[in-house]
Amino acid sequence: MKQEEIKRPENKVYSKPALLNDNPMHYCPGCSHGVVHKLVAEVIEEMGAEHIAIGVAPVGCAVFAYNYIDIDWIEAAHGRAPAVATAAKRLNPDRLVFTYQGDGDLAAIGTAETIHAANRGENIAIIFINNAIYGMTGGQMAPTTLEGQVTATTPYGRRVDLNGYPIKISDLLSQLDGTCFVTRQAVHTPAAVRKAKAAIRKAFENSMAGKGTSVVEIVSTCNSGWKLSPAKANEWMVSNMFEKYPLGDIKNTVSK
């Protein structure tokens, strides 16, 4: 057989989504945000929703999502993304409307907006990045900070008697009648990335189908806030965060 006739398996290389522009990302090396940005852009492209997507990003590391994904964005006040998304979806019911929020935003200052939007069953998707710390403002304790975890404001570790327990906000949201899909995923391995992408796709489809509120929590790393290398941050996340925030679907009332 001639050399040119030998057929070898084709290695599939995934290209950068067209919606993900070439602006240099400001995120720290190893941060999970960049991976999730890529997944959001891929899903929107695959759904053909480039011209109907509206993202809402508030204060925190998540706020700069508008700088990287070329869709319509609304910048909300701190914690108010679900309220703003509610208005955007009600006024434009044919649009794909989602929020992109961190734990300090969604589970602290934005707790009321998050809970009430989900309780009303607003047809929006909420992407929730949980890295258990305030990444942008210096590494302070967040509502999701683990018991005993050291932060800038808990230098001796989070104390339950002083600071309370870590809030499992997705579990709380799953108890509301207005939520149709609540899941907790991660992006630390290729397999995890595939599951996270499928969850985002399902959440977006639920929004367009008018099924109610979908919540996709991504358990994430913050190696700069945790004072760890990217590799060590992934190891710490697996060893510590997954016990408190186990991965998988928490609620799914949508058959498909």
Side-chain angles (χ1 to χ4, degrees):
M1 181 180 292
K2 295 181 180 180
Q3 184 70 27
E4 60 268 20
E5 295 176 347
I6 298 175
K7 293 185 178 180
R8 294 181 174 83
E10 189 175 317
N11 293 323
K12 187 173 183 181
V13 179
Y14 288 90
S15 60
K16 179 175 72 68
L19 289 182
L20 200 64
N21 61 38
D22 293 326
N23 289 337
M25 282 198 171
H26 76 289
Y27 298 119
C28 303
C31 177
S32 304
H33 274 297
V35 179
V36 183
H37 281 15
K38 182 175 185 289
L39 298 184
V40 170
E42 285 181 347
V43 169
I44 292 173
E45 283 186 11
E46 291 169 7
M47 292 179 65
E50 297 93 330
H51 302 297
I52 63 169
I54 301 174
V56 184
V59 177
C61 292
V63 69
F64 293 110
Y66 65 77
N67 201 36
Y68 308 118
I69 305 174
D70 285 332
I71 58 172
D72 288 332
W73 285 92
I74 304 172
E75 184 178 346
H78 202 177
R80 288 9 180 203
V84 174
T86 293
K89 184 66 174 182
R90 289 192 178 195
L91 291 170
N92 304 276
D94 59 332
R95 299 298 183 97
L96 169 61
V97 180
F98 67 96
T99 72
Y100 188 94
Q101 302 174 256
D103 46 21
D105 179 86
L106 181 144
I109 192 170
T111 310
E113 281 78 2
T114 301
I115 289 176
H116 285 287
N119 191 55
R120 294 192 303 267
E122 301 293 344
N123 293 312
I124 60 174
I126 295 173
I127 299 175
F128 165 39
I129 308 299
N130 176 13
N131 55 24
I133 204 166
Y134 281 77
M136 174 176 277
T137 55
Q140 298 92 341
M141 186 194 78
T144 54
T145 295
L146 300 177
E147 183 179 350
Q149 184 177 347
V150 173
T151 72
T153 48
T154 56
Y156 302 105
R158 179 175 186 157
R159 287 170 43 190
V160 169
D161 63 325
L162 179 64
N163 310 115
Y165 292 93
I167 296 178
K168 300 176 73 172
I169 189 69
S170 293
D171 297 72
L172 292 174
L173 296 174
S174 71
Q175 302 302 309
L176 303 176
D177 292 337
T179 55
C180 63
F181 179 54
V182 182
T183 187
R184 185 181 292 119
Q185 302 295 332
V187 291
H188 63 302
T189 66
V193 169
R194 288 192 292 269
K195 291 180 180 179
K197 180 178 178 180
I200 293 171
R201 175 71 182 252
K202 185 177 185 66
F204 285 2
E205 290 175 344
N206 289 343
S207 172
M208 295 305 296
K211 300 293 186 179
T213 304
S214 295
V215 181
V216 180
E217 176 181 343
I218 306 290
V219 182
S220 308
T221 60
C222 182
N223 48 289
S224 60
W226 297 352
K227 304 298 188 288
L228 296 170
S229 69
K232 291 295 184 181
N234 272 336
E235 293 174 6
W236 191 91
M237 177 180 67
V238 173
S239 300
N240 296 276
M241 291 189 68
F242 287 177
E243 180 178 359
K244 183 67 176 179
Y245 304 109
L247 305 187
D249 291 351
I250 303 171
K251 177 181 183 179
N252 184 5
T253 64
V254 183
S255 58
K256 185 177 180 181

